[in-house]
Amino acid sequence: MAKRQVMFTFPAELIKEPIIYNLGHKFKVVTNIRRADVTENRGWVVLELEGEEADIEQGIAWVTNKGVRVDPVIGDIVEG
Amino acid sequence: MQPVNVCDFCLSPLEVSYDYKTLAKALSREKLAQGPLTMWRYRDMLPVEGKEVDIGAGFTPLVKADNLGRELGLDRLYIKNDCLNPTYSFKDRPVSVAVTKAREFGFGTVACASTGNLAASVAAHAAKANMKAYVFVPSNVEPGKLVGTAIYDPVLVKVDGSYDDVNRLCNRLAERYNWGFININLRPYYAEGSKTLGYEVAEQLGWRAPDCVVAPAASGLLFTRIWKGLDEFSMLGLIEPVNTHMYLAQAAGSSPIVNAFQAGSLHVHPVEPDTIAKSIAIGNPADGYYALMVARQSGGGACAVTDEEAVAGMKLLAQTEGIFAEAVGGVVVGALRKLAASGSIKRNQLTVAFITGAGPKTQEIVADVVRPVTIQPTLESFEEVLSVPA
Ligand SMILES: Cc1ncc(COP(=O)(O)O)c(C=O)c1O
């Protein structure tokens, strides 16, 4: 089993969709929310995904395809 | 202490904390002033126990910039010239602490992902510490920058992929290998090294904080640590309470923190960077939120500068103060110009601009300044072409 810590950023049109719920149901991935801030037109969620490496990858690809931006929770690490 | 960088619970970044009460009793201006002329004169306020890995970082000049000040309408402008570090950028400060810590933790190998400055500094400090270094760079890094890193003989890994691919790969490597990853598991210690910029400026100004600071922000870490350095000095009773207005500068092509500041938002939304100021092209800044808070709470601000304005800033800095900075310095000067013109920074405020990296690494950006006059090797030719009165 692997764990991945990520940040999802949702555009306005996806705020009302149960994306995280669906992620947990469509893929064998456990979603564990740690921090979040969602307003009417924007939202972000910091969460940990747990599952097999391949399932996590497929889950992230599906979420990205939906229009959610997925970033590592520790930010960009390629520094100047 | 452990090599961890995020809280298990909320996944937020971790910070080092100190016992300021005990420190305050042990420290004084006189004692600090007797220390070595490097950043290690502030060793008591850095999170290290063992012998430091020191290649001479810090205690760089703070110069009064009268010519540039006149140009911008600022009477009390100073430049902290941190180009004058061993590997030509301020990164030697945080890296010196991080590599010292890596050795304390027993790591035999240090690693980082970088487009230049960080890579060179890590490789140089690893050489001094007799440690192995792995340095990961995106495949589009300019050859000039690679030389400045490769000379210290790290394992230089060019990753065939986009910036995001390198990011993702290095996060995975950090989970898998027992290395000291400078800006991942060593990040809380790395961060602390940049506080010395705040300390030095206060000491060099005769034990006082500036009225205004203008500094660049990529991940936002440097900016928050300059503030922390000033704040700690006042907590330790070394200077009066700090009332500095902190202004951060970003390139317009990569300005997520400035965007958030201007929108009055608390969340820094990631962007896709596109700027010549490559060393501050970070789209998803780890400390963006904290930098935003420092800018807001100090009554400062945030300012974005186009690539053209940055190049103009580089030239202006060189031609007024004799300092050849990289594009980041141009961004800082561009921001300074705007802040002075708009009246955000007043003429009589004591202002310090932080110039954090040297120009020769990325000379291509200003190659158009080379316009020599060509003459024959004769007196006649010289006088004919240049018509200088003898
Ligand atoms: C020359 C220079 N100045 C400023 C910065 C910004 O530092 P930070 O990521 O701490 O905001 C960097 C690196 O990222 C840099 O290379």
Side-chain angles (χ1 to χ4, degrees), chain B residues 155-227:
Chain B
V155 180
L156 180 59
V157 187
K158 223 179 189 182
V159 181
D160 184 14
S162 72
Y163 184 93
D164 283 343
D165 295 330
V166 187
N167 242 335
R168 220 167 292 132
L169 171 69
C170 288
N171 272 301
R172 310 296 300 285
L173 289 170
E175 283 167 17
R176 195 177 184 89
Y177 290 90
N178 188 31
W179 292 346
F181 238 103
I182 296 296
N183 46 350
I184 305 181
N185 54 354
L186 293 171
R187 188 171 164 91
Y189 309 103
Y190 165 84
E192 292 296 284
S194 296
K195 290 189 310 189
T196 58
L197 266 168
Y199 299 154
E200 276 175 29
V201 162
E203 185 178 345
Q204 288 170 319
L205 286 172
W207 304 99
R208 62 156 291 178
D211 298 326
C212 302
V213 156
V214 182
S219 73
L221 202 51
L222 162 72
F223 184 74
T224 61
R225 297 306 139 141
I226 292 172
W227 168 255

Side-chain angles (χ1 to χ4, degrees), chain B residues 361-383:
Chain B
K361 285 187 195 181
T362 53
Q363 350 189 331
E364 341 44 88
I365 296 175
V366 285
D368 68 321
V369 294
V370 184
R371 284 174 312 232
V373 282
T374 307
I375 61 168
Q376 297 306 311
T378 62
L379 205 53
E380 292 74 31
S381 171
F382 174 76
E383 290 185 342

Side-chain angles (χ1 to χ4, degrees), chain A residues 3-5 7 9 34-35 42 44 46-48 53 57 69 71-80, chain B residues 8-12 91 113-115 118 163 167 170-172 183 187 190 267 269-270 279 283-284 286:
Chain A
K3 282 184 185 169
R4 192 81 65 80
Q5 300 162 347
M7 175 186 243
T9 306
R34 303 299 179 82
R35 271 189 296 145
R42 267 181 168 175
W44 58 265
V46 163
L47 70 170
E48 189 166 70
E53 203 63 69
E57 283 297 330
R69 179 171 172 139
D71 287 289
V73 30
I74 59 169
D76 287 354
I77 67 148
V78 187
E79 293 216 20
Chain B
D8 261 351
F9 177 70
C10 71
L11 307 184
S12 297
K91 295 280 182 189
S114 165
T115 57
L118 182 66
Y163 184 93
N167 242 335
C170 288
N171 272 301
R172 310 296 300 285
N183 46 350
R187 188 171 164 91
Y190 165 84
H267 181 61
H269 284 275
S279 33
N284 179 26

Side-chain angles (χ1 to χ4, degrees), chain B residues 266-280:
Chain B
L266 278 180
H267 181 61
V268 176
H269 284 275
V271 300
E272 296 296 338
D274 178 15
T275 169
I276 55 162
K278 293 221 173 67
S279 33
I280 50 167

